[in-house]
C-alpha cells in the first residue's frame, strides 16, 4: 500500500517539520506583527481550572442552550394555535356547516396558516444572534425549508379551496373564477404576482434544481421570497375577514408583520451595516496555501468588539468591482485577534475564484458572525476534530482557541492528495507547542459511503478504524467539518464506535 494512504498507528502524532517554513510563510509573518497579540499556531495553553470551555462550564452552557431552544420554539407553536383560535373566533367552525361555505372556511384557515408560517420563516432566517447561537445554521436552514414547504402547500390549498367555493357559487369554471378574482377582489392581482414568485422560489429550492445553480444565483433568486410575501400583504388586509371583522386578529397580524419587518431591517441590514462601518475592514494580504486555496488576511478596527468565535463564519462581500453585491459564506481559519481576521477559501466557483485576485486595501463588508460550531458545545476534557478538504478551516481555528493540555486534542485531516493539505506548518507548530496529535488521511475515498481513504484496510469497518486511530473516541467531544455525505459517514462511524449523539458537533453548510 502506498505510504501516503497508510493509516498511522493509534494516537501517533505527526512530528513537527524541522525544515524551514514554506507554505503559509507570508501569513505567519503578517500575523506576527506587534499589533497582533499572537500569530496562528502559538496560542497559550490555558490552565484547566480557569478555562471557560472546560466540562463544568460547558455542560451548564449546553443546558442553557437547550432552554433557549425550548423558549424560542414555544412561541412558534403558540402562533399556529393563535391563528386557529382566531379563525374559530371569527365564525370559522360555524361556517363548516353551511354547505359549500365549508370549503371557503377551510380555505381561509389554510391562507392564514400559510401567512403565519411564511412570517415564521422570515424570523428564523433573520439572523437574530441569540436564535443563531441556540440552534445553529444547519438546524435553522432545515426548519426554514420545512416551514417553507408547509406554507407553500397551505397557500396552494387556500387558492384551490377558495376558487372552488366561489366558482360553484357563481356557476363559473375554475379558470373563469380565477380570472374574475384578479379584478373583483382588492389586492388579489398583486397577491397573484407574489404567489407566482413564491412558486418560483419553491421550485428552485428543490434539490435537483439547486444543484444546477451557482450558490450566488440561488441566493439572489431566493431573496424574491421577501417580495412575494410583501405583495401578498395587501390581499390579506383588503380581503381578509380577520382584518375587517376582528380587532384581536388585526392586532395579532400587524404585530407579527411588524416583528418580521423589524427583524429583517435590524439584523439583516442594520447590524451588518453598522459592524462593517465601525470595524472598517480591508484586505491586508492574500496568501497561497495550496493549489487552488488561498488565505485572506483582513485588517480592521477594534475587532475585539466583534463577537466572533473560532468555528463561526461570516457572509463576505469584497468591494472589488462587479459582483460585490453577492455575499459568500466563509469560515474563520484562525482565532480572531484585536485587529485581524483570517479566512481561507478554495476556488470552486465565481465568487471564490475572485477572492484569489483581491488586492490589498480592498474594502470588505460582513454579515455575521454566524454558526454554533464553537467551543461552547464542549462537554469533555479530551477533544477530537475531524476535517476533510477545506473543512480544515474552522477546525484550525478551534485548535487555536480550545483550551486543552498536551495529548488531549487530536486532529484527523482527510485529503484526496497529500499536496492538497493546508496549514501543515501551523499544525506542526500546534503539535510542538500544545501537543496536538495530527493524523493525515490521504488518498481517494475507499468507497462511496466511507470517510476513509482507499487502501486503509478492508478488513476493518469505518468504526473500527476510528477506534484504532483514537481508542478513547467515545469519551471525547467531536467537531466535524467537510462535505455533507462525508460528514454523514463520519457520524455513522462515530455512533457505531459508541460516541453519544450529544458529543458530535457539526454544521451542514450545503445550500
Amino acid at each position: 500500500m502506498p505510504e501516503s494512504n497508510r493509516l498511522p498507528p493509534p494516537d501517533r502524532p505527526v512530528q513537527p517539520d524541522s525544515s524551514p517554513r514554506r507554505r503559509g510563510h507570508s501569513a505567519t509573518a503578517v500575523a506576527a506583527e506587534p499589533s497582533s497579540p499572537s500569530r496562528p499556531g502559538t496560542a497559550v495553553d490555558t490552565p484547566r481550572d480557569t478555562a471557560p470551555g472546560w466540562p463544568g462550564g460547558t455542560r451548564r452552557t449546553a443546558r442553557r442552550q437547550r432552554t433557549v431552544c425550548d423558549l424560542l420554539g414555544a412561541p412558534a407553536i403558540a402562533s399556529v394555535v393563535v391563528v386557529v383560535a382566531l379563525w374559530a373566533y371569527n365564525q370559522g367552525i360555524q361556517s363548516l356547516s353551511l354547505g359549500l361555505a365549508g370549503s371557503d372556511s377551510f380555505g381561509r384557515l389554510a391562507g392564514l396558516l400559510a401567512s403565519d408560517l411564511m412570517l415564521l420563516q422570515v424570523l428564523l432566517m433573520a439572523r437574530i444572534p441569540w436564535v443563531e447561537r441556540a440552534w445553529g445554521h444547519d438546524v435553522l436552514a432545515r426548519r426554514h425549508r420545512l416551514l417553507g414547504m408547509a406554507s407553500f402547500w397551505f397557500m396552494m390549498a387556500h387558492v384551490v379551496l377558495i376558487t372552488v367555493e366561489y366558482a360553484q357559487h357563481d356557476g363559473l369554471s375554475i379558470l373563469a373564477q380565477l380570472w374574475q378574482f384578479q379584478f373583483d377582489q382588492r389586492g388579489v392581482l398583486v397577491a397573484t404576482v407574489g404567489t407566482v414568485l413564491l412558486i418560483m422560489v419553491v421550485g428552485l429550492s428543490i434539490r435537483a434544481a439547486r444543484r444546477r445553480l451557482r450558490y450566488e444565483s440561488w441566493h439572489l433568486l431566493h431573496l424574491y421570497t421577501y417580495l412575494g410575501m410583501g405583495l401578498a400583504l395587501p390581499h390579506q388586509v383588503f380581503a381578509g375577514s380577520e382584518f375587517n371583522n376582528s380587532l384581536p386578529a388585526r392586532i395579532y397580524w400587524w404585530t407579527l408583520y411588524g416583528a418580521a419587518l423589524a427583524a429583517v431591517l435590524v439584523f439583516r441590514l442594520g447590524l451588518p451595516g453598522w459592524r462593517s462601518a465601525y470595524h472598517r475592514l480591508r484586505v491586508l494580504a492574500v496568501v497561497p496555501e495550496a493549489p487552488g486555496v488561498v488565505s485572506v488576511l483582513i485588517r480592521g478596527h477594534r475587532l475585539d468588539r466583534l463577537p466572533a468565535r473560532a468555528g463561526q463564519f461570516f457572509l463576505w462581500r469584497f468591494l472589488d468591482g462587479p459582483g460585490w453585491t453577492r455575499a459568500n459564506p466563509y469560515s474563520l481559519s484562525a482565532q480572531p485577534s484585536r485587529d485581524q481576521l483570517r479566512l481561507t477559501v478554495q476556488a470552486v466557483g465565481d465568487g471564490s475564484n475572485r477572492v484569489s485576485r483581491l488586492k490589498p486595501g480592498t474594502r470588505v463588508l460582513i454579515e455575521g458572525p454566524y454558526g454554533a460550531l464553537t467551543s461552547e458545545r464542549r462537554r469533555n476534557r479530551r477533544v477530537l476534530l475531524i476535517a476533510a478538504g477545506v473543512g480544515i478551516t474552522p477546525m484550525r481555528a478551534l485548535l487555536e482557541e480550545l483550551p486543552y493540555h498536551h495529548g488531549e486534542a487530536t486532529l484527523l485531516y482527510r485529503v484526496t492528495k497529500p499536496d492538497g493539505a493546508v496549514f501543515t506548518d501551523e499544525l506542526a507548530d500546534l503539535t510542538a507547542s500544545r501537543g496536538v496529535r495530527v493524523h493525515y488521511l490521504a488518498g481517494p475515498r475507499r468507497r462511496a459511503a466511507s470517510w476513509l481513504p482507499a487502501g486503509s484496510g478492508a478488513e476493518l469497518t469505518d468504526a473500527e478504524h476510528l477506534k484504532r486511530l483514537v481508542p478513547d473516541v467515545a469519551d471525547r467531544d467531536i467537531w466535524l467539518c467537510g462535505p455533507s455525505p462525508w460528514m454523514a459517514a463520519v457520524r455513522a462511524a462515530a455512533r457505531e464506535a459508541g460516541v453519544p449523539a450529544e458529543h458530535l458537533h457539526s454544521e451542514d453548510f450545503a445550500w
Side-chain angles (χ1 to χ4, degrees):
M1 156 171 58
E3 184 63 29
S4 61
N5 292 344
R6 185 171 300 143
L7 293 173
D11 283 341
R12 192 181 90 191
V14 173
Q15 296 302 315
D17 188 357
S18 59
S19 60
R21 299 186 63 82
R22 299 177 303 277
R23 186 180 301 130
H25 176 77
S26 299
T28 304
V30 172
E33 291 182 279
S35 59
S36 299
S38 63
R39 63 179 176 88
T42 58
V44 178
D45 199 7
T46 310
R48 181 174 304 183
D49 56 351
T50 60
W54 289 96
T58 52
R59 289 195 182 98
R60 288 192 294 272
T61 300
R63 287 195 296 269
R64 189 162 57 247
Q65 288 176 337
R66 287 195 295 270
T67 301
V68 172
C69 288
D70 293 339
L71 292 175
L72 291 172
I77 297 172
S79 72
V80 176
V81 175
V82 169
V83 166
V84 176
L86 289 172
W87 167 78
Y89 174 77
N90 285 286
Q91 308 300 312
I93 295 178
Q94 290 89 329
S95 299
L96 297 177
S97 61
L98 300 179
L100 291 175
S103 64
D104 175 64
S105 184
F106 276 128
R108 285 195 299 116
L109 177 59
L112 294 170
L113 289 172
S115 296
D116 189 67
L117 295 179
M118 279 193 288
L119 292 169
L120 290 178
Q121 272 189 283
V122 173
L123 289 170
L124 275 182
M125 300 306 288
R127 306 295 190 184
I128 302 172
W130 52 90
V131 176
E132 285 273 337
R133 286 195 299 269
W135 275 333
H137 171 79
D138 56 344
V139 174
L140 286 176
R142 286 197 298 269
R143 296 185 180 183
H144 171 77
R145 286 193 291 269
L146 179 64
L147 290 177
M149 294 305 298
S151 66
F152 172 77
W153 289 114
F154 275 125
M155 181 178 64
M156 291 295 99
H158 167 71
V159 172
V160 170
L161 290 171
I162 294 294
T163 303
V164 168
E165 164 66 23
Y166 276 77
Q168 292 187 2
H169 182 272
D170 297 338
L172 298 174
S173 68
I174 299 295
L175 291 178
Q177 186 61 63
L178 283 171
W179 180 258
Q180 189 179 75
F181 275 154
Q182 310 308 311
F183 306 101
D184 290 353
Q185 298 283 341
R186 294 179 65 189
V188 171
L189 183 58
V190 292
T192 300
V193 176
T195 301
V196 172
L197 289 174
L198 292 172
I199 291 173
M200 178 194 70
V201 171
V202 170
L204 293 174
S205 297
I206 298 172
R207 188 180 299 275
R210 291 204 310 268
R211 288 173 178 169
R212 296 177 180 271
L213 291 172
R214 298 178 306 167
Y215 168 81
E216 296 87 353
S217 300
W218 176 87
H219 185 266
L220 181 62
L221 291 170
H222 206 65
L223 295 178
Y224 281 103
T225 302
Y226 295 109
L227 179 58
M229 294 177 59
L231 292 175
L233 175 59
H235 163 64
Q236 189 172 8
V237 173
F238 296 139
S241 60
E242 277 69 20
F243 273 83
N244 297 325
N245 304 327
S246 171
L247 178 61
R250 283 199 298 274
I251 293 173
Y252 171 78
W253 284 107
W254 281 123
T255 301
L256 190 56
Y257 270 104
L261 178 61
V264 171
L265 292 177
V266 172
F267 298 112
R268 292 302 296 264
L269 299 175
L271 185 58
W274 181 87
R275 283 177 173 167
S276 296
Y278 176 75
H279 294 295
R280 304 195 295 272
L281 299 168
R282 291 185 180 273
V283 173
L284 181 62
V286 177
V287 181
E289 297 284 0
V293 180
V294 297
S295 287
V296 183
L297 300 174
I298 307 292
R299 176 80 73 186
H301 167 70
R302 292 306 305 269
L303 294 179
D304 55 318
R305 295 187 178 181
L306 187 65
R309 302 287 301 271
Q312 292 187 303
F313 69 97
F314 287 84
L315 296 178
W316 305 85
R317 289 181 174 88
F318 300 99
L319 307 188
D320 59 337
W324 70 267
T325 56
R326 295 191 292 267
N328 283 276
Y330 301 125
S331 297
L332 296 173
S333 60
Q335 183 180 8
S337 70
R338 178 183 175 84
D339 63 352
Q340 198 172 117
L341 301 174
R342 187 178 77 173
L343 61 143
T344 302
V345 180
Q346 183 176 24
V348 293
D350 291 346
S352 52
N353 276 313
R354 283 177 52 230
V355 170
S356 63
R357 300 190 296 270
L358 291 173
K359 303 298 183 184
T362 301
R363 287 284 307 278
V364 183
L365 305 181
I366 57 170
E367 294 180 42
Y370 301 134
L373 192 68
T374 67
S375 59
E376 290 182 345
R377 294 188 173 191
R378 186 176 182 181
R379 288 174 167 83
N380 297 289
R381 192 187 71 204
R382 291 177 175 266
V383 297
L384 171 63
L385 293 84
I386 311 178
V390 78
I392 188 63
T393 55
M395 302 294 102
R396 162 64 188 82
L398 280 167
L399 279 174
E400 190 174 4
E401 182 184 277
L402 282 167
Y404 51 83
H405 285 225
H406 281 249
E408 292 180 342
T410 299
L411 170 68
L412 306 182
Y413 185 7
R414 177 79 176 84
V415 291
T416 303
K417 299 178 180 179
D419 63 354
V422 297
F423 308 135
T424 53
D425 296 325
E426 295 176 14
L427 294 175
D429 285 346
L430 286 165
T431 298
S433 63
R434 301 196 62 191
V436 178
R437 297 177 173 181
V438 180
H439 298 282
Y440 291 92
L441 308 176
R445 213 193 276 199
R446 65 176 184 172
R447 61 177 182 273
S450 176
W451 63 281
L452 290 165
S456 53
E459 72 282 359
L460 297 178
T461 67
D462 282 10
E464 290 169 340
H465 271 288
L466 181 60
K467 293 177 71 174
R468 173 189 168 190
L469 289 165
V470 190
D472 60 349
V473 63
D475 300 321
R476 294 179 181 245
D477 274 288
I478 301 177
W479 282 265
L480 307 175
C481 192
S484 299
W486 178 86
M487 285 199 297
V490 176
R491 283 192 291 264
R495 295 304 307 279
E496 187 180 343
V499 178
E502 60 270 19
H503 292 182
L504 287 166
H505 316 304
S506 64
E507 280 188 303
D508 192 338
F509 295 99
W511 53 277

